[in-house]
Amino acid sequence: MFRYAEVLVDVANRRLDQSYHYSIPDYLSLNIGMRVLVPLQNRKVQGLVVNVTEDLPEGMEGINLKPVLEIADKDSLVPQDLIELAHWLAQTTICSVAQSLHTVWPLLKGKIEEWIVLLASIEDSDVQTLQWLDVEAFRALTVLNRSRKKAVSLKIFLKRANISVGTLEKLLKQGWVSKEVRFVTTGEDSSLKQAPYGGQNNKVKDYGARTDRTYELTREQVTAVRGVLTALEEGSSQTVLLHGVTGSGKTDVYRELIAQVLAQGGDAILLVPEISLTSQVARYFERQFGGQVIILHSGLRQREKMKAWADILSGHKRIVIGARSAVFAPLPNLRLIILDEEHDGAYKQDENPKYHARDVARKRMDLRKGVVLLGSATPSLEAYAAAQSGKIRMLTMLSRIGKSVLPPVEIVDMRDELRQGNRSIFSLPLQQKLRERLTRGEQSMLFLNRRGYSTFVVCRECGYVVSCSNCDIALTYHTQGQAMRCHYCDHKELPPHTCPKCGSRYIRFFGQGTQRVEEELRGLFPEVPILRLDYDTTRSSESHDTILDKFRRQEASILVGTQMMAKGLDFPNVTLVGVIAADQTLNMPDFRARERTFQLLTQVAGRAGRSNKPGEVVIQTYSPQDSAVMRAAHHDFQGFFWEEIRYRKERKYPPYTHIIRVLLLHEKEDRVIKGANELGAFLQQGMQEPKFGNTELDVLGPAPAVLSRLRNQWRWQISVKGTRQDILRAFLHQGVKRFFKSPTSSGIILNIEVDPLSS
């Protein structure tokens, strides 16, 4: 018999939003996943049982624990494998179980309510006699009888029936009604309560599926499909990398694999990097699978999310398409998880728990003995290195489908353009090629990975840069609203006419963003319809699709955009892609900068010439000899990989080591500096301990973060580096534990990230 329960309490107070231990009374039979009522600070709160055990954690022995009060739900609501996943997530991302469980099962929020349930039939003769003997009681029973489930919450019942508490007690005593505690999320019983989960005996229904294939697979596509199906048939958890060049038809491979998985009674998840891509991808799959497809992402309203999860749990929806958080979709018979564009940094969560969807997918398939398929034209170095070393399988598709071929790429040295007197954003070759496309009635896409009109505002006399008052970053000027804005905290202010520091009138806009590119294009081609795709033009949920649909219908000749334009778009009439400034990502202070530049240039270039019309790409840069730019121009992934992997090995960067970064935050700079130095000292002390002294560990820092001030908080960081994650976690844990015992830690927030994707 288990004696203790670990309960995740559901409260609004972040300080209390964690798990607590309670004793289990002998008369209660608790299981993991049940909702219970527990005491917390002189009140009753709901909670979820995340573990039951016979022993308390170290340091809690002898504590007189409060007991669990009662069970709110008789059936386990949260599947045990997802609770196991939450524990794994908490351990690997170094966060609380509460945080990870709210991520794995996001429908925890709700409230405990007392409900009144009708026990007698209104037609019974005894009840009918109440019309004359007790009018108030009869009216109350009639109210219950009219409710959809013969039950309503106590608060609503008393209001509708207009009865006293004394009359209610009489009804309870006489057995006409009963009172019970229910967990409520949307004002009525949760529709998830009776949903089935797990096992192979769930009946699968056909909700408008159309599985007849309307496309022919190429030889490479057939080989790729067979390779993944073979991995599925082996019945062990596996990861497969599908390296297919842009336009090679990876999406059709995904469709065929999902059709095969569904035919065998399984379910599948398809992840895309961004929420904005989900609807257009879903439409593509709905043509074949009809109503079995559902979109799931963090942007859904709570009621929409509840309905979606209910449909998934009940087996009504068997294909989930969504962004990062869709990896937790509770499909009963999950067999396949696909990460399209697996290299994309959007698969890493920025807030706790700082998980990577790729790692979560692997863990889920470990539990289910299924397959994770990673698809990309430019795989992450970590994934490709794992494939090269034999840790995961690799399948390749090196040819585009149909008659289309990879487009030739021209690198334009913008230094030469300046020498020739061209001070425009657009090089002369790019301008000429744009005119050619307009003459032929073809479309062009121009890429610049910075939104806004101007990068920054600077005084040409003293060098003062107008910066955000809350963040250590320059404000970006936007002509829309004539304001300067911070892209981190959204602080806004009007541009100054004179320098706030020296009073000079020579204060000017420098740099360029998508808004300025669009404006200068309209100056070059005043009669040409132009669209812009960036964060500023896609703030509403429908605007992204609206812009792309207009471009697809050829209502515009040129599309200007940021990196959201580089992912998953296929326009047959696009024959020219221009990259305005390849150097913006190349010069970031990050060891992954060259990898990101290569990936972005290759992906953007892949938007050109995807049908029978040949395409061209123009890359404008001030660093034409950089190998990342040159390799991208030649579509040479392998050459780039071997060059970059040698660089990583020499400097002991991932995938040869692991890094855990600790970000310290406080509103006062001196406090965060003192805290960072003290944490660094504790970590250095830990290096002297025998269990860590003989391991390859490095402590880097403390040092200011790249953004040293953000949203009114000063930021310093310390990183620990080593070859084994488990040792790194243990080492960091002992240092953090010492730090929190120190008075210096008071008020300092620690933000811990395992293998961060950015500096």
Side-chain angles (χ1 to χ4, degrees):
M1 177 66 70
F2 294 115
R3 300 171 56 205
Y4 306 105
E6 183 180 355
V7 178
L8 171 64
V9 297
D10 193 2
V11 292
N13 189 332
R14 280 183 171 270
R15 189 172 57 84
L16 302 176
D17 186 16
Q18 57 182 289
S19 58
Y20 296 89
H21 284 81
Y22 294 88
S23 63
I24 302 175
D26 293 338
Y27 58 85
L28 288 182
S29 179
L30 291 189
N31 291 317
I32 294 175
M34 282 185 172
R35 296 191 184 279
V36 292
L37 280 178
V38 292
L40 182 70
Q41 292 190 341
N42 302 317
R43 58 184 173 130
K44 295 179 183 179
V45 298
Q46 73 239 6
L48 185 77
V49 178
V50 295
N51 196 22
V52 287
T53 178
E54 294 182 358
D55 302 303
L56 288 171
E58 182 181 350
M60 291 189 64
E61 300 87 348
I63 296 177
N64 186 22
L65 297 178
K66 296 178 180 179
V68 174
L69 300 176
E70 57 183 291
I71 298 173
D73 287 304
K74 295 180 180 178
D75 301 318
S76 296
L77 285 184
V78 182
Q80 189 161 342
D81 64 329
L82 290 185
I83 291 181
E84 184 178 342
L85 181 68
H87 280 284
W88 169 85
L89 193 62
Q91 180 183 8
T92 54
T93 62
I94 315 178
C95 74
S96 70
V97 175
Q99 288 173 319
S100 62
L101 193 54
H102 280 299
T103 301
V104 170
W105 191 264
L107 303 182
L108 288 170
K109 292 297 179 186
K111 57 183 178 180
I112 290 292
E113 283 187 353
E114 289 185 305
W115 278 52
I116 304 300
V117 181
L118 179 64
L119 298 180
S121 170
I122 201 72
E123 306 299 330
D124 287 352
S125 57
D126 289 346
V127 174
Q128 288 295 318
T129 59
L130 290 176
Q131 294 183 72
W132 301 279
L133 299 177
D134 193 335
V135 176
E136 189 180 32
F138 183 77
R139 184 176 67 244
L141 297 179
T142 303
V143 167
L144 284 173
N145 188 62
R146 289 173 182 165
S147 63
R148 185 163 55 92
K149 296 183 179 181
K150 311 297 183 190
V152 294
S153 70
L154 174 60
K155 183 178 179 181
I156 293 175
F157 175 67
L158 292 175
K159 183 177 180 180
R160 288 182 182 173
N162 192 24
I163 63 172
S164 64
V165 176
T167 300
L168 173 59
E169 293 299 327
K170 184 169 59 177
L171 292 173
L172 290 166
K173 188 175 181 180
Q174 292 175 348
W176 301 117
V177 300
S178 67
K179 185 191 293 185
E180 62 182 51
V181 174
R182 293 188 178 184
F183 176 78
V184 180
T185 52
T186 59
E188 60 181 13
D189 256 342
S190 171
S191 58
L192 305 184
K193 185 174 289 189
Q194 301 300 326
Y197 186 88
Q200 299 300 318
N201 297 321
N202 286 331
K203 292 182 180 179
V204 174
K205 300 178 182 179
D206 181 6
Y207 290 85
R210 298 182 293 277
T211 55
D212 294 335
R213 185 173 1 119
T214 57
Y215 51 91
E216 289 298 323
L217 298 178
T218 66
R219 183 178 300 176
E220 284 188 327
Q221 288 174 319
V222 169
T223 301
V225 169
R226 286 175 179 167
V228 179
L229 291 177
T230 298
L232 281 164
E233 290 166 2
E234 290 174 0
S236 59
S237 62
Q238 294 190 47
T239 300
V240 180
L241 173 63
L242 176 59
H243 179 206
V245 298
T246 56
S248 59
K250 293 185 289 294
T251 304
D252 284 339
V253 170
Y254 304 155
R255 283 208 294 176
E256 183 65 19
L257 286 170
I258 289 173
Q260 297 283 352
V261 167
L262 263 63
Q264 297 169 16
D267 304 326
I269 295 174
L270 171 59
L271 300 180
V272 293
E274 292 187 6
I275 291 175
S276 58
L277 293 172
T278 54
S279 57
Q280 63 173 330
V281 173
R283 284 200 299 267
Y284 189 68
F285 278 78
E286 283 168 353
R287 295 190 200 120
Q288 182 172 350
F289 302 105
Q292 295 188 102
V293 177
I294 192 166
I295 293 175
L296 193 64
H297 54 70
S298 59
L300 296 176
R301 292 188 290 268
Q302 184 72 357
R303 185 179 293 274
E304 294 172 325
K305 193 175 294 184
M306 279 199 65
K307 178 65 169 63
W309 279 51
D311 287 342
I312 293 168
L313 285 166
S314 63
H316 290 194
K317 304 291 184 180
R318 301 177 57 201
I319 305 168
V320 172
I321 296 176
R324 178 179 61 231
S325 62
V327 73
F328 300 107
L331 288 161
N333 300 306
L334 184 59
R335 297 281 295 132
L336 176 67
I337 301 179
I338 302 169
L339 277 79
D340 189 30
E341 311 290 4
E342 69 83 24
H343 64 276
D344 200 289
Y347 285 123
K348 185 69 180 283
Q349 169 89 342
D350 289 332
E351 300 174 354
N352 285 336
K354 295 179 181 291
Y355 68 88
H356 196 296
R358 180 176 56 217
D359 299 328
V360 176
R362 285 175 175 165
K363 181 62 178 179
R364 291 204 70 183
M365 292 297 89
D366 282 345
L367 298 172
R368 296 298 191 93
K369 307 302 180 188
V371 169
V372 176
L373 178 61
L374 309 174
S376 178
T378 54
S380 61
L381 259 70
E382 287 83 354
Y384 200 80
Q388 289 293 324
S389 63
K391 294 178 181 177
I392 64 175
R393 293 189 184 188
M394 182 165 67
L395 303 167
T396 57
M397 298 195 303
L398 303 179
S399 302
R400 282 187 159 187
I401 57 175
K403 297 180 180 179
S404 66
V405 295
L406 290 171
V409 179
E410 178 181 352
I411 299 175
V412 178
D413 188 344
M414 294 303 286
R415 296 172 300 180
D416 290 341
E417 293 290 309
L418 284 173
R419 294 186 194 107
Q420 295 172 33
N422 178 19
R423 300 187 178 277
S424 165
I425 291 176
F426 312 109
S427 63
L428 296 177
L430 181 57
Q431 292 182 41
Q432 178 60 32
K433 292 180 189 297
L434 283 169
R435 290 190 182 95
E436 291 172 1
R437 267 61 190 183
L438 293 172
T439 302
R440 298 201 298 252
E442 296 171 354
Q443 292 174 293
S444 304
M445 298 172 72
L446 297 183
F447 168 81
L448 178 65
N449 202 27
R450 185 182 294 277
R451 59 193 172 98
Y453 180 85
S454 176
T455 307
F456 56 94
V457 180
V458 63
C459 174
R460 301 183 77 171
E461 291 214 0
C462 73
Y464 173 81
V465 176
V466 181
S467 300
C468 176
S469 58
N470 304 318
C471 310
D472 183 24
I473 191 168
L475 295 176
T476 300
Y477 177 68
H478 292 252
T479 56
Q480 186 176 7
Q482 302 291 309
M484 297 183 300
R485 288 169 51 185
C486 175
H487 288 174
Y488 288 88
C489 72
D490 206 32
H491 167 76
K492 300 175 187 177
E493 59 183 73
L494 294 175
H497 297 293
T498 58
C499 175
K501 185 176 181 181
C502 72
S504 169
R505 292 183 293 108
Y506 298 101
I507 189 160
R508 295 288 185 269
F509 303 123
F510 276 81
Q512 57 213 16
T514 49
Q515 192 176 356
R516 183 178 173 191
V517 171
E518 179 190 15
E519 186 175 299
E520 295 212 6
L521 268 178
R522 295 188 187 281
L524 277 176
F525 309 109
E527 304 300 322
V528 174
I530 298 167
L531 291 170
R532 176 160 55 94
L533 186 75
D534 57 22
Y535 180 78
D536 297 312
T537 61
T538 58
R539 288 178 181 258
S540 69
S541 57
E542 301 84 14
S543 53
H544 182 276
D545 288 345
T546 301
I547 293 169
L548 293 182
D549 287 342
K550 283 183 178 180
F551 193 63
R552 187 172 284 107
R553 292 193 300 266
Q554 300 184 33
E555 294 178 17
S557 299
I558 303 174
L559 177 66
V560 178
T562 56
Q563 64 177 4
M564 62 173 64
M565 194 178 73
K567 303 168 185 176
L569 301 181
D570 193 342
F571 300 109
N573 198 40
V574 170
T575 59
L576 176 65
V577 167
V579 178
I580 302 301
D583 310 271
Q584 285 187 336
T585 52
L586 192 60
N587 296 317
M588 294 293 289
D590 190 336
F591 73 87
R592 286 190 172 91
R594 296 179 70 255
E595 179 186 8
R596 286 209 184 90
T597 300
F598 175 85
Q599 289 169 340
L600 207 48
L601 294 179
T602 302
Q603 293 287 341
V604 172
R607 301 310 107 200
R610 294 175 71 93
S611 66
N612 297 330
K613 298 178 181 179
E616 282 186 275
V617 180
V618 175
I619 296 177
Q620 299 183 165
T621 177
Y622 290 92
S623 309
Q625 302 303 317
D626 188 274
S627 62
V629 176
M630 295 179 68
R631 298 282 187 188
H634 291 91
H635 309 285
D636 183 11
F637 176 82
Q638 281 210 346
F640 174 78
F641 169 79
W642 290 113
E643 187 176 273
E644 187 70 7
I645 206 73
R646 282 194 295 271
Y647 165 80
R648 298 274 185 96
K649 188 175 184 179
E650 288 170 3
R651 288 159 179 79
K652 296 182 180 180
Y653 284 131
Y656 295 100
T657 58
H658 293 283
I659 297 173
I660 301 180
R661 181 179 64 197
V662 184
L663 200 62
L664 297 90
L665 302 95
H666 197 279
E667 292 179 356
K668 294 183 179 179
E669 186 179 16
D670 60 333
R671 290 283 304 278
V672 78
I673 293 174
K674 184 177 180 182
N677 283 309
E678 187 156 313
L679 175 58
F682 285 136
L683 290 171
Q684 292 293 347
Q685 289 176 23
M687 296 278 282
Q688 311 307 317
E689 294 185 13
K691 58 182 176 180
F692 300 122
N694 298 323
T695 57
E696 292 187 20
L697 289 172
D698 286 322
V699 177
L700 310 176
V706 174
L707 289 175
S708 59
R709 187 164 169 256
L710 194 63
R711 299 182 183 94
N712 259 334
Q713 288 188 313
W714 292 93
R715 298 148 48 96
W716 274 57
Q717 66 183 34
I718 298 175
S719 296
V720 292
K721 192 174 173 183
T723 55
R724 287 180 53 183
Q725 267 195 13
D726 55 342
I727 293 177
L728 272 181
R729 288 193 192 95
F731 171 70
L732 182 63
H733 184 264
Q734 59 84 29
V736 169
K737 194 174 179 180
R738 290 176 182 173
F739 175 69
F740 276 129
K741 290 180 180 178
S742 165
T744 307
S745 67
S746 177
I748 291 180
I749 298 171
L750 294 191
N751 199 322
I752 301 174
E753 184 171 6
V754 179
D755 287 334
L757 292 185
S758 59
S759 297

